[in-house]
Every structure is written in C-alpha cells, then in structure tokens.
Amino acid sequence: IREINTEAALLSGEVQRAIAWPGVLEAMAGVQREQFVGKADQAAAYCNAPLAIGHGQTISQPLIVAIMSGALRPQACHRVLEIGTGSGYQAAVLARLVGEVYSVEIVKELAERAGVVLARSGVKNVHVRVGDGHHGWPEAGPFDGIIVTAAADGVPETLVAQLKPGGRLVVPLGRTRQVLAVLTRRDDGSIHREDLLQVRFVPFVEG
C-alpha cells in the first residue's frame, strides 16, 4: 500500500482521487495477493509489478488494480462486470467494494483456476464464466460499472450498451500506445471519455 501511495503521488490528480476512493486501499490490503500467483512468484506477490499467470496472461500490478477499481467509483449496492478474470485478483478486490461481480474469462483453465481460488478465499459474490468478453454478460446487465483488463483497439460498443445511465467503463485503449480510459454513459446515451494514464496490457482477443 505504501508503494502504491508513493507512485500515485507522481501521477495526475484524477488518478490520485481514484486510488483514494473510499474503501479501495482497504480492499487491496484485505486480499492476499499470494493466493492468486504461482508458487514460483510467492516471494514477489506484493511487489508493485505485473506477474505472469500462464496462457500469455498476467496479474496486474497492484497500482493499476487500485486505479481501475477506484475509477469505477464503486458503491456497496453496485453490480459490476469484469472482462478478463485472469487470476481472479481484480475480482477479489472488487468483491469487497460492490455487491456483485460478474466476470468473464476467455481461457477456460484460467476461469476454472480463478473460481477455485476465489472460493477458497471465501469470496461469494463473484460469478465467473468462460466466454468471449466482447459480448459481455447481457442477461446480468445493465451494470453500474465495467472493467476490462485487456487492451481494446477501440471503444467496445457492446459493453457500453450494457452500462446503466451514469455507469462507468474502465478500459485500456490502443495497440502500440495504450491509455487507460474511463467512459461514462450519460442519461441521453452519449459517452464522456476521460484518459487517466498510459498503460501496458495484453490485447483484448476474440474467441
């Protein structure tokens, strides 16, 4: 947590406000990150860096998890969609901030592993399924917030359509140069975009 605050102090005010959103750092502190990484990475579990989890995927560095979580402006009554379950770590953090988390993972082995780890960690409000994240989870929507943990070439309109009015979509956009963007759906259906910082994520692939 100290590393997160130290690095955040060098970033924009909007990023700092995201990290300072009520409950975010407490949620981060409450999740045992070592449960979501491989045995070889146990000693590095709390380093502020991404770690490989197999299948060409990574567990995001804690700083990015804190920023993305806070950028949603989560409330206890919210229902959130996560695209890219990966290790399950981001979902475990969100589970402490919102009422329900629906998480879609395209790699079956990762989805199954994350489900086991989340259950073992006592997380009961995260629902994981295997699927193409580009389709979202329409029957569970609309959502108060959506997090995408892979970089999309453009705004994922299918996911935007699953947001409630006022809902926020946090997504890395771009291929060679990526930026973490927050897209807010206004009451009239239009979208307000705010770019937070440059990032590096794996590509948002289709099934």
Side-chain angles (χ1 to χ4, degrees):
I1 301 301
R2 183 166 53 249
E3 284 186 57
I4 291 175
N5 283 324
T6 298
E7 289 200 35
L10 304 175
L11 301 173
S12 71
E14 186 58 35
V15 168
Q16 292 180 41
R17 284 188 288 274
I19 292 172
W21 187 261
V24 168
L25 291 181
E26 290 82 359
M28 299 280 297
V31 175
Q32 297 179 327
R33 195 168 186 252
E34 69 271 16
Q35 295 187 13
F36 298 88
V37 302
K39 291 183 179 180
D41 289 320
Q42 292 289 300
Y46 290 97
C47 293
N48 190 31
L51 299 170
I53 58 172
H55 303 277
Q57 306 298 306
T58 61
I59 177 174
S60 295
Q61 70 183 99
L63 173 66
I64 297 299
V65 172
I67 293 169
M68 295 182 75
S69 299
L72 281 181
R73 298 182 181 174
Q75 303 285 346
C77 60
H78 283 180
R79 298 165 74 247
V80 168
L81 173 65
E82 178 193 35
I83 303 300
T85 313
S87 68
Y89 176 65
Q90 173 74 79
V93 172
L94 289 174
R96 291 172 170 264
L97 295 166
V98 302
E100 299 288 337
V101 179
Y102 294 81
S103 188
V104 181
E105 172 56 56
I106 197 168
V107 180
K108 181 180 179 182
E109 292 82 359
L110 290 179
E112 291 176 346
R113 186 194 309 165
V116 170
V117 175
L118 288 165
R120 192 170 60 217
S121 302
V123 178
K124 298 180 180 179
N125 59 335
V126 174
H127 315 278
V128 179
R129 78 174 184 187
V130 180
D132 184 342
H134 289 83
H135 305 312
W137 199 324
E139 65 271 29
F143 299 98
D144 298 284
I146 300 175
I147 275 184
V148 181
T149 62
D153 288 342
V155 174
E157 298 294 348
T158 302
L159 299 182
V160 170
Q162 294 178 37
L163 280 175
K164 291 180 180 179
R168 294 164 71 85
L169 168 61
V170 181
V171 56
L173 295 176
R175 181 167 294 182
T176 55
R177 180 182 180 276
Q178 299 175 7
V179 62
L180 186 63
V182 180
L183 309 176
T184 304
R185 184 174 186 177
R186 297 189 177 104
D187 291 344
D188 63 2
S190 64
I191 298 298
H192 170 73
R193 172 175 170 173
E194 181 176 17
D195 293 343
L196 297 184
L197 74 164
Q198 290 188 28
V199 290
R200 174 59 61 187
F201 279 78
V202 297
F204 189 4
V205 298
E206 294 188 52

